[in-house]
Amino acid sequence: MAVARVVHTADRTLTGRQLASLLTPPAEGRFGYRELARAVREALLDGRVALRLRLPAERELATVLAVSRTTVTGAYDLLRESGYAHSRRGAGTWTALPDGQAPTPLGAFQDDAGATIDLALAAPQAPDELTAALSSAAAELPRYAGSQGYHPYGLPVLRAAIAERYTARGLPTRPEQILVTTGAQQALSLVLTLLGRTGDRVLAENPSYTNALDAMRGRMLRITPVPVTETGWDTGLVDAALRQTAPRLAYLIPDFHNPTGHLMPQEQRRELARAARATGTWLVADETLADIALDVPAPPPFAATAGGGDGEQIVSVGSLSKSCWGGLRVGWVRASSRVVTELARVRITADLSGSVLDQLVAVALLDRLDTIVPRRLEELRRRREALTTALARHVPEWRWTVPPGGMCLWIDLGRPVASSVAVRALRHGVRVEGGSRFGVDPGTHEHRLRIPFTLPEDVYEPAAERLAAALEGAPGRFADPALPDWVA
């Protein structure tokens, strides 16, 4: 992975209360200066605290934590000494990462004909219904062969089918509110191109879907990160980020968040819709994983939870990649008809139109989705169980929370060593992706791995064996970079 340039806002300040809410307190219950420095460093590496963020004044934080100002001064000194903070005269103390703290490059895709087990791509195999859908599409294709074949908005029959599905899920939708795209990635790229301009701020979860972050970076948008932690979203922090930076866009994955697997509660959705409305921010809801509800009911569309006029600035993105097959490359945008018209104009400059044949296959698959999805969910439950069982047996020191949906485990290694683990694992025939790939800032989330459970069950036992073998004999290579051992 070539680390893309990161462009995001650098003018945010954490209040003492905000920082305190993001820190894990010591077992003793009261922070010493070393415990405070370590807690701030862990929050930074975990993405709860963003890079280039101004820390609260020493006196303010001391008051909130009920410690002496000397304790906070000592902690900030330790953070500066170890490279996790720096100070500018008259401007305060800002978060940072030590020189060289960055993820080890690994290719995002590998055409490997060998025996490598790929645990990096969260992509299921095609359903059995694909063959019948292809036959159905082939039978329909002659009806379209007499036309020019270009449908920039998408085939009318597919737009109608997608709109009907939104309506059935609780969000009344007309076909003219749907733009069919070449996958959800193109859908997001079109939205960013239409609604964002170079230098605009965009709020994004941290961690988040790596290809979405790369799309923002490629358009030179300034990313304002908000953390998604073990407990999910902090509405207060998101609201504060919206008010402080008034971003042009906010990109959210509310349904079985990639990579953490969290499901955003309905009340939080309403609160965020109201907050975005107040700041004039476009909310882009990536609902690609909405159907993958393993242990809970499938959520309604994000825009369906917004009250009053709060849904007017919500743009939804979806696709058939997770519920059916990524090889189909059919996605969509659901927005107002005006926005859809503008998106279609942008889309024409990219690829004119999608494949008619693929869209006809998508129509046939949507007609069979009520059969496909339940079987897909049962398959993923079995695979999730196989993965967690194998990892618990071979790498019992790793920790994770079983997600209620989605396709991945977000694994806590306990130490910021994910890039080293990924390199050694690849030598042992397993490709895994470290957490840094999903962070807004390279070098964060280094204590995490994202491992999907989309492969057949019998793959995970040998994969876990190889991961365990990769860890053997190298504890020194994975040492936790400690704070300097000195006393202020």
Side-chain angles (χ1 to χ4, degrees):
M1 176 189 74
V3 178
R5 177 164 39 164
V6 179
V7 183
H8 64 78
T9 183
D11 57 2
R12 292 176 58 206
T13 301
L14 274 178
T15 67
R17 291 192 181 280
Q18 287 173 338
L19 179 58
S21 71
L22 297 171
L23 302 181
T24 302
E28 301 79 28
R30 185 180 178 87
F31 284 107
Y33 74 96
R34 289 188 61 82
E35 290 80 13
L36 179 56
R38 190 176 300 278
V40 173
R41 187 204 68 172
E42 289 175 353
L44 177 62
L45 290 174
D46 194 29
R48 285 173 279 157
V49 172
L51 284 179
R52 293 175 288 279
L53 194 68
R54 186 162 51 202
L55 292 170
E58 294 173 1
R59 189 183 305 277
E60 177 190 0
L61 185 58
T63 299
V64 172
L65 296 178
V67 298
S68 70
R69 183 176 177 181
T70 302
T71 297
V72 178
T73 300
Y76 281 12
D77 285 344
L78 280 179
L79 290 168
R80 284 188 287 266
E81 176 71 14
S82 56
Y84 289 95
H86 67 87
S87 296
R88 297 206 302 261
R89 185 178 298 276
T93 300
W94 299 73
T95 56
L97 284 178
D99 292 340
Q101 180 84 15
T104 303
L106 284 177
F109 295 93
Q110 294 183 350
D111 291 326
D112 185 1
T116 299
I117 300 174
D118 195 333
L119 296 183
L121 297 179
Q125 298 78 28
D128 294 338
E129 286 81 1
L130 180 61
T131 300
L134 282 167
S135 297
S136 176
E140 289 291 315
L141 189 60
R143 294 177 50 198
Y144 296 85
S147 72
Q148 81 284 1
Y150 294 107
H151 299 271
Y153 289 89
L155 288 182
V157 65
L158 179 54
R159 297 176 74 195
I162 296 169
E164 182 180 347
R165 184 159 179 82
Y166 270 107
T167 300
R169 294 175 57 217
L171 180 61
T173 302
R174 303 184 306 277
E176 55 265 33
Q177 292 180 271
I178 300 296
L179 175 74
V180 178
T181 61
T182 307
Q185 187 65 27
Q186 187 192 51
L188 175 61
S189 295
L190 293 174
V191 170
L192 294 176
T193 300
L194 176 66
L195 300 180
R197 297 291 184 270
T198 298
D200 281 350
R201 292 182 175 90
V202 54
L203 183 145
E205 297 150 329
N206 193 23
S208 187
Y209 179 49
T210 179
N211 293 324
L213 294 175
D214 284 345
M216 298 171 200
R217 293 163 182 151
R219 285 157 181 77
M220 301 298 291
L221 299 171
R222 293 188 290 169
I223 304 176
T224 297
V226 291
V228 180
T229 67
E230 290 286 351
T231 57
W233 295 261
D234 186 320
T235 308
L237 287 176
V238 179
D239 182 67
L242 287 168
R243 285 187 287 101
Q244 288 182 26
T245 66
R248 174 71 171 162
L249 298 155
Y251 171 75
L252 303 174
I253 310 174
D255 305 321
F256 315 118
H257 175 263
N258 185 1
T260 69
H262 290 308
L263 176 63
M264 184 181 289
Q266 297 302 306
E267 181 54 36
Q268 279 193 327
R269 298 176 187 231
R270 285 188 285 270
E271 292 174 8
L272 293 185
R274 287 193 294 267
R277 175 76 171 176
T279 57
T281 300
W282 287 92
L283 266 179
V284 183
D286 188 336
E287 300 175 338
T288 307
L289 288 160
D291 285 334
I292 313 302
L294 301 177
D295 302 326
V296 294
F302 189 97
T305 64
D310 294 336
E312 294 178 4
Q313 287 186 243
I314 297 176
V315 177
S316 302
V317 171
S319 82
L320 290 177
S321 295
K322 305 304 183 183
S323 54
C324 291
W325 186 42
L328 194 59
R329 307 313 306 139
V330 171
W332 55 81
V333 177
R334 191 267 181 199
S336 70
S337 57
R338 178 183 62 83
V339 170
V340 165
T341 298
E342 294 299 318
L343 287 171
R345 291 174 180 167
V346 176
R347 190 263 176 84
I348 289 173
T349 67
D351 67 351
L352 292 180
S353 177
S355 161
V356 171
L357 180 59
D358 286 0
Q359 292 181 71
L360 290 174
V361 173
V363 171
L365 287 174
L366 280 169
D367 190 49
R368 296 165 170 81
L369 211 55
D370 289 341
T371 300
I372 294 172
V373 169
R375 193 164 64 250
R376 173 75 77 201
L377 299 183
E378 184 55 38
E379 173 186 81
L380 288 170
R381 291 186 193 102
R382 293 195 306 269
R383 294 177 177 185
R384 183 181 62 181
E385 177 64 22
L387 173 60
T388 57
T389 299
L391 291 178
R393 179 180 299 114
H394 294 284
V395 280
E397 66 273 25
W398 291 1
R399 295 289 180 265
W400 59 84
T401 299
V402 177
M407 295 182 165
C408 303
L409 294 184
W410 186 232
I411 294 174
D412 187 350
L413 304 178
R415 293 172 291 173
V417 294
S419 292
S420 299
V421 170
V423 169
R424 289 181 63 86
L426 191 59
R427 295 172 187 158
H428 284 75
V430 180
R431 191 168 82 88
V432 292
E433 198 69 79
S436 290
R437 191 73 176 89
F438 304 90
V440 171
D441 298 293
T444 58
H445 303 289
E446 263 291 287
H447 65 300
R448 295 281 190 175
L449 290 178
R450 191 198 75 162
I451 299 185
F453 40 85
T454 53
L455 296 176
E457 293 99 301
D458 59 3
V459 169
Y460 295 114
E461 184 68 21
E465 289 178 356
R466 295 184 190 186
L467 287 171
L471 299 177
E472 285 183 6
R477 294 282 299 277
F478 302 151
D480 190 353
L483 293 163
D485 189 14
W486 60 281
V487 178

